Amino acid sequence: MKLKNLSLIALIAIAFTACKPKDSFTIDGTFQNPGTEKKVFLYGMQNSQMVPVDSTNLSEKGAFKFIRKTPSVDFFRVSIGNHEFMLIAKNGDEIKLEADLSDKTMAYTISGANEVEKLSELNALRNTYAKQVEQLQADFESKVATQPQNRAAVLEELKPKYESYTNQLNASIIRFAKDNKGTLAGFYAMNTLSPQEFEAELVKFADEVKEEIKGNATVDTFVKQMALLKTVQVGQIAPSFTINTADAKPVSLSDFKGKYVLVDFWASWCQPCRQENPNVVKVYDKYKTRNFDILGISLDTDKAAWLGAIKADGLNWTHVSELNDFNGETVKKYQVQAIPTSYLIDPNGKIVAKNLRGDELENFLAKTLR
């Protein structure tokens, strides 16, 4: 009799498993302490952009559920208020998502599929450092509260510790991505890094994964972007270009052959660019007679604003512009995603440094232009 019962139970279990939908995935979630937030949104990838694809309301117990179909394993995001939770899902997955919305570190737990398990591991890793930074912030606020006149000194005191946490986190993320190279979780991890600070690592990673996880639209777009970025890495010959000055005189990169030239992408409306300009002026005045020059390429669309900023900031070097924001051909060729962006090119036309700021540029030229 016991054997018959066991067989029946086994058959029921098999039948139940077989009836699970394989042409869609589910996300069952619970949010604690949602406050006044009741609406939950599901975002999906379209043309490498996150767009809303579904929405629902929280139950009285803070629960919600989404059922969705996807052509292949892909990225999704659950959002409520200012909180966002990244997921990776494929049809057949039964994902559980839990979070306490009062948690300042925005930690969350996910389970129910291999990719989300990996993502949960990454989230736990990042949360470890987020808690350290949160404690550091609390220490800063506590010290400033008792000695407000020493705010700058307190900031300088704690800055090395913050930088140490950040460096440790970045190293851990890169290690995680390498250990999970063939997964979207590893791909997502690498894309949480600063694209300017870790450009070389991202280019290398794209080469390593382009065959392993090809077919996903987001990954394919990333691989194409990194292939273009690879052409303007340190050590590469700088791509040629010709752009007009304000009075329609054509200027080519080849005009500077035989010199060190700083190709500086900037704009009048870019505050970080304007703040950096005094440093660039200082360096130019010091080294302009020592085989060094600057070529400013503006992303302005307003010619008058561009020329006004040149005069106001005392930028006494050659200036050109396509007057087309981030859509200029040269801007695209050099993969400029943010400004200021600069390339230091040697007399043979090779890129020898990128995005040197302040003392970094000064120190590099002091060692190079002897």
Side-chain angles (χ1 to χ4, degrees), residues 266-271 273-274 298-300 302 304-310 339:
W266 73 294
S268 66
W269 44 261
C270 168
Q271 285 306 309
C273 303
R274 304 295 295 274
S298 171
L299 275 67
D300 279 288
D302 184 331
W306 168 40
L307 297 179
I310 292 172
I339 51 176

Side-chain angles (χ1 to χ4, degrees), residues 206-224:
D207 273 343
E208 292 172 346
V209 303
K210 62 185 177 185
E211 295 301 325
E212 292 190 45
I213 44 179
K214 66 181 180 181
N216 177 279
T218 304
V219 177
D220 290 346
T221 299
F222 167 77
V223 168
K224 288 177 183 176

Side-chain angles (χ1 to χ4, degrees), residues 241-243 245 249-263 284 291-297 317-320 345-350:
F241 60 83
T242 299
I243 311 177
T245 62
K249 177 186 174 184
V251 175
S252 299
L253 178 62
S254 58
D255 297 338
F256 297 86
K257 193 167 184 180
K259 287 185 175 183
Y260 282 90
V261 59
L262 183 73
V263 178
Y284 178 71
N291 206 38
F292 172 71
D293 210 339
I294 299 176
L295 175 60
I297 301 180
W317 48 81
T318 304
H319 291 274
V320 296
I345 300 168
D346 76 4
N348 297 314
K350 185 168 70 174

Side-chain angles (χ1 to χ4, degrees), residues 28 59 89 159 255-256 322 335 361:
D28 280 298
S59 72
K159 186 178 178 181
D255 297 338
F256 297 86
E322 294 164 308
Q335 290 295 292
L361 179 58

Side-chain angles (χ1 to χ4, degrees), residues 15 24 59 71 81 87 132 139 141 146 180 194 210 212 215 219 229 237 247 259 261 272 285 294 317 342 369:
S24 61
S59 72
L87 304 170
Q132 291 176 326
D139 291 346
E141 292 172 357
T146 58
N180 297 278
S194 165
K210 62 185 177 185
E212 292 190 45
V219 177
L229 194 56
I237 295 297
D247 55 2
K259 287 185 175 183
V261 59
D285 289 342
I294 299 176
W317 48 81
S342 64
L369 302 179

